[in-house]
Amino acid sequence: MALIQTAFIWVAYAVAVGLVALIAAIFTYIYQTPRDRSALVSTVTIITLTSLLATVLLLPVDIALVSSTTSKLGAKKDWATPKTVHNILLTLKIVYYALYSLDAVLCLLVIPFTYFLYEEYDDVEAEEGTQTFSKRFMGALKYTLIFLALVVILFLVGFFVPVAKNRAGHEFDLDYFKRLLAENHGERALTFALGLLISLGTLLYILYTAAGIALLPISFIKSAPSISAPQLHESTATALEQNRERQRQIEGRNAGREGGMPPKDQRELEALVREERTLVRRERLAAEAQGEGKSFIVRAWTKVCAIFRPLKLIGGILLLLLSIILWVSMLITGIDKAKNSICKEHCGYILGSINVFQPINWVFVQASRVFPIDYVLMSLLVLFFFSSSVAGIASIGIRFLWVKLFEIRKGHTSPQAMLVVTVMLTLIMLAINYSIAMMVAPQYATYGAQTFCTNAPKHGGDQPNCTNLPDLIKPCSELSKDHISRDICTPTVVSTFLNRVTFNFPFFGGLAFWAQFVFLGVFLIVFLLSLFRTPKLNQSQLDEDAEADEEEGLLASTGRRFGATWQDIRGKAKKPSGGAAGQGITGDDSRTEEE
């Protein structure tokens, strides 16, 4: 029975990892620009995002495995011998160490190498044959060695830096705190590196994730003023007809005039030509949005999206409620820790037990009694944090102070920006891992639904019996001094990892804890501002997108001479558009050639 239950938990985790891999692939495909799509960049991005999401989603597996060793009566199950429990914890530690190490290697070495390898590519030298792959590889490796040196220095510092061992006070005599002390140098180095990466991720987390959690639900509720594709097509066609009629009037009025067209009419005609070019592009976008020239599946999907558009409002309201409940839950935990932590800043504000009702933690503790309900809820929560982080990065952009370095938009994100975003998301997800385990659901993340029976057994070595004594069944806690709880309660591996970071290096714990209040403050400010800000339809952005699409079409016609057409890249031929739009494009192109 135990083997079947353990196998079921790991199978559920494997299915979840497969789903997040699919989500990572869809995210990469949607955001990366088709014109500069790189197979290497896409592969590295998908692997990295899958790894970091798999790291966070290991939390409910950890909780389910340790919780499965105890019964509802607060006693160890017959099969849960010390050796069996040790093997379960060892397996979890190996998986955690492997995932955390993989995240660090991808973030600090693989992604920088991929970035420099892509930057080393030169179109001119590649066409002339003067640039080889080995030359690009060595150039990228040269710059990546700098990051390798930083990684080595990071682990050396963690290897030799002293931990805070000299603790005074009776609270540090508890067995739970004694187990948190890092005894070997290798574990100390990994603990220090993890603490540093979490601290760096926290700085990004309080800006991008806080803003994203506030903006994502509001964006669903208060979407930009919606102009349907038929309305946009009709209004654009009308404006285009008026534009061309005005051009004909000017040209007819000045036909045969001696000395040519007056400067005033010439300027007006040039402005009308530029406006016509913009209207033609906008009309083509509206036609494509209606599904013209698209397959039956695309047209059907467009209709389905239009039908279910009202559900977007309902989804936005539900996400808004979730955001508010998250904010309240984190505030309750933060105040509880600041007031009732037994060791305060000396151990990163570890809280022995929750003293105030916390809704999110209560939901997860109750759901953990029946696996995989809590796993589904945790997966949805992690995806919400991830989507909010992406929304925050897309809204704010990648900036250095007030200078925007990269813009993150669907279908218009460069490969370099994708790699930078992946690094940011890796660091942010490490901070989210801390936040979920320590602030959102601390009791659930530490012991799950584990309880222990305080009724002492009559004979040594026997299990305590609380069959008819429900009042003697207590929830497991770090502060329990009863030796019975030490034998029955098993803390999760992830909580031990994170508490070890904050306990051995209190600076990291204090920074991560107080940053949560900054996170709550940023969320509140952005949320209030977004309530009173009216979104606007960015038609200039639509025109820029249409212009970029037109440039890609021109590149395609030029590429036919070299046998590498844009249709080959897209994998399908583009059907010629008819009607006014097609005539407008032809007229626009002819004017461009005449100019």
Side-chain angles (χ1 to χ4, degrees):
M1 185 65 182
L3 184 60
I4 296 176
Q5 185 177 7
T6 303
F8 175 70
I9 294 172
W10 283 112
V11 168
Y13 177 67
V15 172
V17 172
L19 291 177
V20 298
L22 179 62
I23 293 172
I26 294 174
F27 166 80
T28 304
Y29 178 80
I30 289 177
Y31 274 86
Q32 193 172 7
T33 174
R35 181 167 51 182
D36 297 326
R37 198 179 298 277
S38 169
L40 178 61
V41 172
S42 300
T43 302
V44 171
T45 301
I46 293 171
I47 293 175
T48 305
L49 293 178
T50 303
S51 176
L52 65 93
L53 288 173
T55 303
V56 182
L57 289 179
L58 192 59
L59 171 62
V61 173
D62 188 0
I63 295 169
L65 288 175
V66 297
S67 298
S68 66
T69 61
T70 60
S71 65
K72 296 180 180 180
L73 297 176
K76 280 291 185 185
K77 294 181 179 178
D78 295 336
W79 60 266
T81 61
K83 183 179 179 181
T84 304
V85 175
H86 173 76
N87 291 335
I88 292 175
L89 297 179
L90 180 61
T91 303
L92 286 169
K93 283 183 180 179
I94 293 173
V95 177
Y96 268 116
Y97 278 127
L99 287 175
Y100 277 128
S101 301
L102 181 59
D103 292 338
V105 170
L106 289 171
C107 179
L108 300 176
L109 294 178
V110 176
I111 291 180
F113 175 79
T114 306
Y115 184 94
F116 294 128
L117 185 65
Y118 185 84
E119 283 289 323
E120 285 290 314
Y121 180 77
D122 188 277
D123 293 332
V124 178
E125 292 185 2
E127 291 180 3
E128 294 176 351
T130 58
Q131 187 184 55
T132 61
F133 178 78
S134 59
K135 183 178 179 181
R136 290 176 56 200
F137 184 88
M138 295 306 298
L141 186 61
K142 177 178 62 177
Y143 294 109
T144 309
L145 289 177
I146 300 175
F147 285 86
L148 180 61
L150 292 176
V151 173
V152 173
I153 292 173
L154 174 64
F155 276 91
L156 285 177
V157 171
F159 196 80
F160 293 106
V161 68
V163 296
K165 283 190 175 183
N166 297 325
R167 308 299 180 110
H170 66 279
E171 64 272 9
F172 296 108
D173 295 330
L174 297 173
D175 292 329
Y176 180 81
F177 291 101
K178 291 179 180 179
R179 290 196 298 266
L180 292 180
L181 291 175
E183 297 296 338
N184 62 77
H185 290 281
E187 198 170 49
R188 180 190 305 175
L190 185 60
T191 302
F192 177 82
L194 180 61
L196 182 60
L197 292 178
I198 290 176
S199 299
L200 294 176
T202 300
L203 300 179
L204 301 173
Y205 162 79
I206 60 178
L207 175 62
Y208 292 106
T209 308
I213 288 180
L215 292 174
L216 185 62
I218 298 297
S219 66
F220 276 69
I221 299 174
K222 292 173 60 176
S223 57
S226 180
I227 298 180
S228 65
Q231 289 178 336
L232 181 60
H233 188 277
E234 182 179 350
S235 61
T236 304
T238 302
L240 186 59
E241 183 179 352
Q242 294 174 353
N243 178 287
R244 287 171 176 165
E245 178 63 27
R246 180 58 182 163
Q247 289 187 54
R248 284 193 292 269
Q249 292 176 1
I250 295 175
E251 291 172 348
R253 186 171 63 238
N254 292 280
R257 172 178 291 193
E258 296 181 1
M261 190 178 295
K264 180 180 178 181
D265 288 349
Q266 183 67 35
R267 288 193 297 270
E268 184 179 358
L269 184 62
E270 291 175 354
L272 288 171
V273 170
R274 288 193 297 269
E275 182 184 274
E276 180 191 19
R277 187 181 297 115
T278 299
L279 290 172
V280 167
R281 286 192 292 262
R282 193 178 297 172
E283 187 180 41
R284 187 172 67 250
L285 276 181
E288 291 179 356
Q290 288 181 275
E292 291 185 12
K294 302 291 184 180
S295 64
F296 171 77
I297 297 178
V298 174
R299 294 198 303 271
W301 175 252
T302 303
K303 298 295 183 182
V304 170
C305 291
I307 293 174
F308 288 98
R309 194 170 296 162
L311 295 179
K312 186 177 181 181
L313 174 63
I314 300 176
I317 295 175
L318 294 178
L319 290 179
L320 180 61
L321 292 176
L322 175 60
S323 299
I324 295 174
I325 295 174
L326 274 175
W327 191 87
V328 172
S329 299
M330 294 177 67
L331 181 63
I332 291 174
T333 303
I335 295 175
D336 195 3
K337 283 192 170 190
K339 182 180 179 180
N340 300 314
S341 175
I342 61 173
C343 46
K344 305 292 184 182
E345 68 277 3
H346 301 294
C347 64
Y349 295 89
I350 294 176
L351 185 64
S353 59
I354 293 180
N355 300 280
V356 184
F357 175 77
Q358 207 260 50
I360 295 292
N361 182 82
W362 180 84
V363 169
F364 275 104
V365 169
Q366 299 303 315
S368 65
R369 302 180 188 277
V370 182
F371 187 87
I373 296 178
D374 63 320
Y375 200 99
V376 175
L377 295 178
M378 179 57 67
S379 300
L380 294 176
L381 181 63
V382 169
L383 291 178
F384 176 65
F385 271 104
F386 177 79
S387 302
S388 300
S389 302
V390 174
I393 294 175
S395 301
I396 300 173
I398 302 175
R399 299 174 180 267
F400 179 74
L401 299 179
W402 59 87
V403 180
K404 180 177 286 189
L405 303 179
F406 295 105
E407 190 174 22
I408 310 301
R409 288 195 303 122
K410 294 180 179 179
H412 294 82
T413 307
S414 65
Q416 298 95 321
M418 286 297 300
L419 293 172
V420 175
V421 167
T422 304
V423 172
M424 294 173 63
L425 287 174
T426 301
L427 297 175
I428 288 174
M429 290 307 293
L430 291 177
I432 289 175
N433 195 20
Y434 170 88
S435 180
I436 291 176
M438 298 290 108
M439 297 293 294
V440 177
Q443 181 184 353
Y444 165 78
T446 305
Y447 287 105
Q450 291 184 79
T451 57
F452 69 98
C453 176
T454 58
N455 184 25
K458 297 181 179 179
H459 305 286
D462 292 343
Q463 288 283 352
N465 189 354
C466 287
T467 304
N468 297 317
L469 302 170
D471 295 337
L472 297 181
I473 301 176
K474 306 294 182 182
C476 292
S477 169
E478 300 96 321
L479 302 183
S480 299
K481 297 182 179 181
D482 198 323
H483 72 279
I484 299 178
S485 67
R486 181 183 59 191
D487 297 333
I488 296 175
C489 299
T490 305
T492 60
V493 175
V494 67
S495 67
T496 304
F497 273 168
L498 296 175
N499 284 330
R500 180 170 287 141
V501 171
T502 60
F503 190 77
N504 288 281
F505 305 100
F507 170 77
F508 292 146
L511 175 64
F513 172 72
W514 290 111
Q516 306 301 318
F517 290 96
V518 181
F519 171 90
L520 298 176
V522 172
F523 168 86
L524 187 61
I525 293 173
V526 175
F527 176 71
L528 293 177
L529 290 176
S530 62
L531 287 179
F532 300 101
R533 186 174 68 93
T534 304
K536 298 179 181 179
L537 181 67
N538 193 350
Q539 287 196 346
S540 62
Q541 191 68 66
L542 292 175
D543 296 336
E544 290 178 8
D545 295 344
E547 187 174 358
D549 292 339
E550 183 175 308
E551 291 176 358
E552 291 175 357
L554 293 175
L555 288 174
S557 62
T558 305
R560 292 191 192 95
R561 304 168 191 167
F562 302 95
T565 64
W566 180 245
Q567 286 84 354
D568 294 333
I569 297 175
R570 296 182 63 187
K572 60 180 181 179
K574 184 175 180 180
K575 297 180 180 179
S577 57
Q583 297 171 6
I585 295 173
T586 304
D588 186 55
D589 292 342
S590 63
R591 285 192 176 90
T592 305
E593 292 176 358
E594 290 174 3
E595 293 174 357

